Amino acid sequence: MDSLPDNSLVVSVGGQIKYMSGQIFYKFRQASDFWYLTGFEEPDSAVILEKNSSSKGYRMTLFCAGKDSAKEKWEGARTSFQDAVAHFKADDAQPVSKFPSVLKTLAASFSNVYMDAPPNSRRGRGLSHKAIMKYLSFSNSSSRSEFENFVDSVIPSKRQSLAPEVAKLRSIKSDPEKTIMRKAADISGRAHAKTMRFTNPDMSEHNIASHFEYLCAMQGSQRPAYVPVVASGANALTIHYTANNQIVHNGEMILIDAGCEYNGYASDITRTYPVSGKFSSAQAALYSSVLTVQKKLITMCTEAANISLSELHRESCILMRSELNRIGFNLHGATGMGDVERVLYPHYVGHPIGIDLHESTHFDRNAPIRSGMVITIEPGVYVPAASNFPTAFHDMGIRIEVCPTFLMFSITNAKVVASQDEVLVGKDHPTILSVNAPKEIADVEGACQGLLDLSPF
Ligand SMILES: [Mn+2]
């Protein structure tokens, strides 16, 4: 509220229940921005913040369902209006049915109205008339024509998008957020290590995915942060392979891109390891190339380096080409770089992560990364069976992803292999959040073969 101009009104709406089929609903997850602003976890809720000259600087009104003993008997307890004030620090709490009329009245007296389309809207951002009507329609206290009048007369001249303002705040993690994200990455990292041990030839990818999710859930994760990729052999060439229904064979590698959500925050880790527990020499060579690229990139994840995500990506392509040439590829000139960027490594180097897996919508890829950001670093290589690439590497896919983190963790001591790690950007050094997922070849093989002590996990 401090950062917004005087005479500003902020409106944020919560999520609504989504249905798998008919009346069969999915487990509810709150809309991210609304949750960030309120911490309130009930569906069909909304908040209005009015900038004012009080010592707090604003007035907060929370709209929610309130108590209803008949419904609570079926669906569980709800927060009373009194408790919404006491526990969520609202100045006032009102039934959500009042939301449209309160909004209409307030919008008329403020010069700037920050609001977004509802989170379930396909349009995602910006405000269409249809989205606004849907947004207001969870109360049936007003007629559609009133909504239309509201949209036409009040909103278009004053409205601003709220999401970019909230994104600025969300991109820099507070200390409590860092602690939770470290825990989320720990749970996922340990689950990766244990899943390496669990994997044996002739299992299904589904068994392996289930085992990973079970391990995370048993450690307190509320849900996976995304549908996991568990891709054996050539399936790894499909970047977002999520069928996860094939048998894994001896001699293949398996790529797992999986992470849990823990207390509202996502984790995102990728590891690639041999089904047999031992890399072949070609697998080890390709893996080492990706790992080398990844480790070099992580050392650049500092504020002091004054580097943007775009520059990191560009750097990752150059490093990847040089590493692949070192092991026998022939990637020279514009054609060679084209092969790297379009065929062998066709995705981006990473993305910001936090409450959402991809907090990228309003992230400026061309601005320098700053201390307190968490971004993933996930170079990969996917070699099709094409005659211009060395036969030994055909049909291999490797990605290593980490989230660099917040711990005072020197990169020189970081053990990292072909995987996707989460990196916390620090002033002078990055911290790898996902340190518990083995990354060096010896560590990966050790985890697969049961030689790593997983007991503290
Ligand atoms: Mn990722």
Side-chain angles (χ1 to χ4, degrees):
M1 295 307 289
D2 286 346
S3 71
L4 298 180
D6 287 343
N7 223 329
S8 288
L9 188 72
V10 166
V11 183
S12 181
V13 286
Q16 294 174 272
I17 299 278
K18 293 181 186 177
Y19 292 86
M20 182 171 76
S21 177
Q23 296 182 316
I24 309 305
F25 53 83
Y26 287 108
K27 185 176 174 180
F28 177 69
R29 181 188 184 278
Q30 188 55 280
S32 298
D33 279 351
F34 177 79
W35 184 76
Y36 183 80
L37 293 173
T38 64
F40 199 68
E41 303 212 325
E42 293 177 26
D44 294 345
S45 307
V47 68
I48 296 182
L49 306 172
E50 303 158 59
K51 182 157 179 157
N52 63 21
S53 56
S54 71
S55 57
K56 197 166 71 165
Y58 64 92
R59 174 183 164 82
M60 169 178 174
T61 307
L62 191 59
F63 298 86
C64 56
K67 304 297 282 181
D68 181 331
S69 58
K71 285 198 171 156
E72 288 179 76
K73 188 172 169 63
W74 287 87
E75 297 165 5
R78 292 174 176 175
T79 305
S80 69
F81 300 125
Q82 293 84 349
D83 283 345
V85 170
H87 296 297
F88 294 89
K89 308 301 178 202
D91 297 291
D92 187 21
Q94 296 199 29
V96 71
S97 57
K98 295 270 175 34
F99 174 63
S101 58
V102 173
L103 175 58
K104 197 168 153 185
T105 305
L106 286 174
S109 58
F110 281 81
S111 332
N112 306 291
V113 180
Y114 288 84
M115 61 195 298
D116 295 304
N120 293 354
S121 158
R122 280 170 186 241
R123 303 180 70 90
R125 46 181 157 155
L127 283 171
S128 68
H129 283 202
K130 202 175 161 194
I132 284 275
M133 286 191 283
K134 181 185 170 190
Y135 174 114
L136 294 173
S137 68
F138 59 70
S139 160
N140 52 17
S141 64
S142 305
S143 70
R144 287 212 142 224
S145 64
E146 274 184 283
F147 295 152
E148 283 166 334
N149 289 342
F150 172 75
V151 168
D152 289 340
S153 67
V154 183
I155 292 301
S157 58
K158 304 179 175 186
R159 71 175 185 225
Q160 314 276 351
S161 182
L162 176 63
E165 304 302 324
V166 179
K168 282 182 215 161
L169 304 175
R170 280 174 56 181
S171 70
I172 305 293
K173 272 61 180 180
S174 67
D175 287 345
E177 288 182 300
K178 290 173 186 175
T179 304
I180 297 171
M181 288 199 72
R182 174 62 207 257
K183 173 78 173 175
D186 273 350
I187 292 172
S188 296
R190 290 167 183 182
H192 271 278
K194 285 190 162 184
T195 301
M196 289 177 188
R197 177 65 183 137
F198 174 79
T199 301
N200 279 310
D202 305 324
M203 275 180 176
S204 74
E205 294 163 345
H206 176 77
N207 291 152
I208 294 164
S210 303
H211 189 71
F212 181 92
E213 290 185 4
Y214 161 80
L215 291 169
C216 292
M218 288 295 280
Q219 292 301 313
S221 158
Q222 288 81 8
R223 57 174 68 77
Y226 52 100
V227 178
V229 173
V230 179
S232 59
N235 295 334
L237 273 63
T238 303
I239 312 291
H240 286 163
Y241 173 84
T242 52
N244 302 346
N245 59 5
Q246 299 299 299
I247 301 295
V248 308
H249 298 111
N250 213 357
E252 293 175 337
M253 288 185 290
I254 181 159
L255 183 157
I256 303 187
D257 184 344
C260 72
E261 182 183 299
Y262 176 75
N263 288 359
Y265 287 81
S267 57
D268 187 3
I269 302 176
T270 308
R271 290 293 184 273
T272 309
Y273 59 94
V275 170
S276 69
K278 181 97 185 123
F279 286 103
S280 72
S281 58
Q283 288 167 348
L286 196 64
Y287 187 90
S288 298
S289 297
V290 180
L291 185 58
T292 300
V293 172
Q294 206 234 20
K295 287 158 87 172
K296 285 185 178 166
L297 292 170
I298 289 170
T299 62
M300 300 174 194
C301 290
T302 66
E303 191 169 292
N306 196 34
I307 192 167
S308 68
L309 200 55
S310 296
E311 289 162 339
L312 267 175
H313 179 69
R314 185 72 201 147
E315 202 59 46
S316 73
C317 295
I318 293 166
L319 288 168
M320 188 70 81
R321 174 165 76 168
S322 129
E323 275 300 306
L324 293 177
N325 282 339
R326 189 180 58 75
I327 61 169
F329 284 75
N330 184 21
L331 304 162
H332 297 288
T335 312
M337 199 43 120
D339 280 347
V340 170
E341 292 176 347
R342 285 188 287 278
V343 182
L344 294 164
Y345 169 40
H347 58 76
Y348 212 64
V349 66
H351 52 85
I353 178 174
I355 298 167
D356 289 312
L357 175 70
H358 288 183
E359 296 202 322
S360 313
T361 316
H362 300 281
F363 184 85
D364 184 357
R365 285 176 168 182
N366 297 313
I369 56 175
R370 287 166 53 204
S371 185
M373 290 179 170
V374 183
I375 55 174
T376 66
I377 296 295
E378 48 180 313
V381 66
Y382 316 88
V383 189
S387 58
N388 51 332
F389 304 130
T391 316
F393 304 120
H394 283 186
D395 288 333
M396 287 183 189
I398 292 173
R399 178 164 69 252
I400 307 175
E401 175 173 24
V402 299
C403 294
T405 77
F406 346 89
L407 296 185
M408 288 301 157
F409 186 82
S410 161
I411 195 62
T412 52
N413 296 326
K415 293 203 160 190
V416 182
V417 188
S419 52
Q420 167 181 344
D421 296 351
E422 294 169 46
V423 183
L424 177 69
V425 179
K427 283 243 187 280
D428 300 310
H429 61 261
T431 305
I432 301 180
L433 293 178
S434 40
V435 284
N436 288 314
K439 192 158 85 167
E440 298 293 338
I441 285 185
D443 293 337
V444 171
E445 292 185 345
C448 291
Q449 296 167 21
L451 303 175
L452 275 199
D453 179 12
L454 301 179
S455 53
F457 299 178

